[in-house]
Amino acid sequence: MSGQIKIMLRGAVLGSALLVLSASTAFAGPLFDACAAAAASQFEPGFEHIGRDLASVDSAVAVAACEKALKAEPNSVQLKAWLARAYYAASDYEKAVPLFEAASAADNVVALSLFGDMLTTGDGIGKDMSRGAALLTKGAEAGYAPAQNSLGLSYDFGEGLTQDYAQAAKWYRAAAEQGLSKAQSNLGLMYQDGLGVPRDYVAAAAWFERSVAQGDASGQVNLGKLLSDGLGQPVDYVRAAELYKAAAEQGDQYGQNNLGFLIENGLGQTADPKAAAVLYQEAADQGMALAQHNLALLYEDGRGVEQDYAKALALYKQAAEGGEMLAAVNLGLLYMDGHGTPIDNAEALKWTQIAADAGQVIGLNNMGHIYEEGLGVPANKETAISYYQKSADQGYQLAIDNLARLRGAQGDGTGKTKRK
């Protein structure tokens, strides 16, 4: 199999970092209304019908409207938070931060939520996860759904707080029940993985469906993953492809990669490696290591693209540097075989060792081969056996065969490495 389908990460908080109305707000007429129309969130009481996600804020319009409103009402905490949100949407963090500081000091939930996210991720400001978690806790306890989802993320990944899956699930649920689509998707993942809640694929699918109904890309990818893996229900590649396509059309790299995987392998549709290559390229261009690896495989094999070992090598290196250990394995093999590069046993050893150190089963087998044959290292049968054993312990058949052969039992006798 040339690639795995990965679940979208839980950490996509940017689009859900919304605003809330401060209890101290005094409505100031047309200027206030114009700022609200441009920068308010649909999660704010009284602004459900005009509010918008951060991703749909027209930053130029919002900044202009909210600057005018705040000039007329310079003490309005709510306007400071909205203007800060508008600046943030424009990536003008220098102007956003002091406004968020002032509004969060006044316990404005909007500022607590988005500024807490910024501090947690280091987006536009020095990272301070502990302070970020403290701000998010205030916002979450005040009942603000985006802050609840972000606090769930902090507990989920141990960012500024002790990792606690039960607390993560609690806060995801609080936000999900208020209709926050990313929280619905995140809660679905907790049920899928059995983290903080009992593993329950039916419940996972139900929460993913609610997220999908709102057009959320993470929900689309995660439900597609559930369907393509047949978790708790029959495999359905056709609907999985539809969901991945919907996410891909939003520019989601996981949707692009996963749809490419189904198309490449003819799962639920006619195989089309050329179309798969296009999708992998789109995801690879966003820096997705798995997509870079999958595209490299196509270039190495000449499927859907003209065979090009040099491109394959470059893509494998990008993917390996991005943490994709199968890419490190295959990069080592290219150096070992001299494809797209002169044979270089030192580089082959380097990348294979990286994969083996990460516990990658094929990398462990290939390290056994390197030591058995003395490729760039002194041949050492005992070291070879130790690597083969670690791979065999994970059930890798080629390592089992190699181990049996070296120990004098029946095996295939090849000792060769294998691509995946």
Side-chain angles (χ1 to χ4, degrees):
M1 192 172 288
S2 64
Q4 305 174 79
I5 296 175
K6 283 194 172 179
I7 300 170
M8 178 151 181
L9 296 176
R10 297 188 176 93
V13 296
L14 177 62
S16 62
L18 308 174
L19 307 178
V20 71
L21 185 63
S22 169
S24 62
T25 297
F27 291 88
L31 293 178
F32 182 96
D33 291 345
C35 178
S41 158
Q42 72 270 35
F43 282 86
E44 298 183 60
F47 297 93
E48 295 89 346
H49 300 297
I50 66 168
R52 62 192 68 212
D53 286 330
L54 184 62
S56 65
V57 169
D58 183 326
S59 59
V61 171
V63 166
C66 293
E67 282 181 340
K68 289 181 181 177
L70 186 59
K71 184 177 181 180
E73 250 193 296
N75 296 320
S76 170
V77 172
Q78 183 65 62
L79 289 174
K80 289 177 182 178
W82 279 342
L83 179 55
R85 188 184 190 225
Y87 283 138
Y88 186 83
S91 298
D92 191 341
Y93 306 125
E94 186 176 353
K95 290 182 179 177
V97 166
L99 291 167
F100 277 137
E101 286 278 14
S104 63
D107 285 340
N108 176 277
V109 187
V110 172
L112 292 171
S113 179
L114 189 48
F115 195 38
D117 285 337
M118 291 176 68
L119 288 163
T120 300
T121 62
D123 189 8
I125 193 172
K127 186 179 290 188
D128 186 341
M129 290 186 179
S130 295
R131 186 184 177 204
L135 295 179
L136 292 173
T137 299
K138 279 189 176 182
E141 290 177 345
Y144 184 48
Q148 291 169 337
N149 180 64
S150 292
L151 183 59
L153 290 165
S154 293
Y155 275 114
D156 201 345
F157 296 103
E159 295 175 335
L161 296 163
T162 301
Q163 189 174 55
D164 187 328
Y165 292 130
Q167 284 293 315
K170 167 190 169 180
W171 289 111
Y172 287 149
R173 185 183 301 279
E177 289 177 347
Q178 294 192 59
L180 190 61
S181 63
K182 292 195 182 301
Q184 293 165 346
S185 180
N186 291 344
L187 182 58
L189 284 171
M190 302 302 276
Y191 276 110
Q192 176 183 298
D193 298 336
L195 298 175
V197 293
R199 188 187 297 272
D200 186 335
Y201 295 127
V202 174
W207 283 109
F208 291 151
E209 290 281 12
R210 292 176 70 172
S211 181
V212 166
Q214 298 192 61
D216 188 273
S218 63
Q220 292 162 346
V221 169
N222 291 334
L223 183 57
K225 174 76 166 65
L226 207 68
L227 292 167
S228 60
D229 285 359
L231 298 177
Q233 55 200 298
V235 170
D236 187 344
Y237 291 127
V238 174
R239 188 171 183 220
E242 292 172 354
L243 289 162
Y244 290 148
K245 182 179 180 182
E249 288 174 347
Q250 296 186 58
D252 183 88
Q253 60 184 304
Y254 298 93
Q256 293 162 348
N257 177 75
N258 296 358
L259 180 60
F261 179 81
L262 295 186
I263 291 174
E264 177 193 350
N265 293 282
L267 300 174
Q269 57 212 291
T270 302
D272 187 347
K274 185 175 181 179
V278 172
L279 288 161
Y280 288 149
Q281 185 70 66
E282 290 174 350
D285 287 344
Q286 296 189 60
M288 186 180 185
L290 182 59
Q292 292 163 347
H293 167 264
N294 290 343
L295 183 60
L297 281 168
L298 294 184
Y299 274 109
E300 182 177 358
D301 297 337
R303 299 180 60 243
V305 292
E306 185 176 347
Q307 189 175 52
D308 189 328
Y309 287 119
K311 281 188 178 180
L313 186 139
L315 285 163
Y316 281 141
K317 184 171 287 189
Q318 281 185 298
E321 289 172 345
E324 183 56 51
M325 291 300 97
L326 271 176
V329 169
N330 289 342
L331 181 58
L333 285 165
L334 288 186
Y335 280 116
M336 195 182 301
D337 296 340
H339 290 157
T341 177
I343 290 176
D344 189 332
N345 287 330
E347 283 293 300
L349 174 64
K350 169 187 170 181
W351 292 105
T352 307
Q353 185 75 67
I354 287 171
D357 288 348
Q360 210 289 327
V361 62
I362 306 175
L364 288 165
N365 174 79
N366 293 0
M367 282 298 295
H369 178 72
I370 285 172
Y371 274 97
E372 182 181 356
E373 299 296 329
L375 303 175
V377 294
N380 188 314
K381 180 179 177 181
E382 293 307 313
T383 302
I385 286 174
S386 71
Y387 277 113
Y388 285 145
Q389 184 68 65
K390 290 175 183 177
S391 182
D393 287 345
Q394 296 186 51
Y396 188 51
Q397 187 59 51
L398 185 57
I400 293 170
D401 294 342
N402 288 334
L403 188 62
R405 175 175 48 75
L406 283 189
R407 287 179 170 168
Q410 184 65 36
D412 68 6
T414 63
K416 292 181 180 177
T417 55
K418 181 179 179 181
R419 292 185 176 85
K420 181 178 181 182

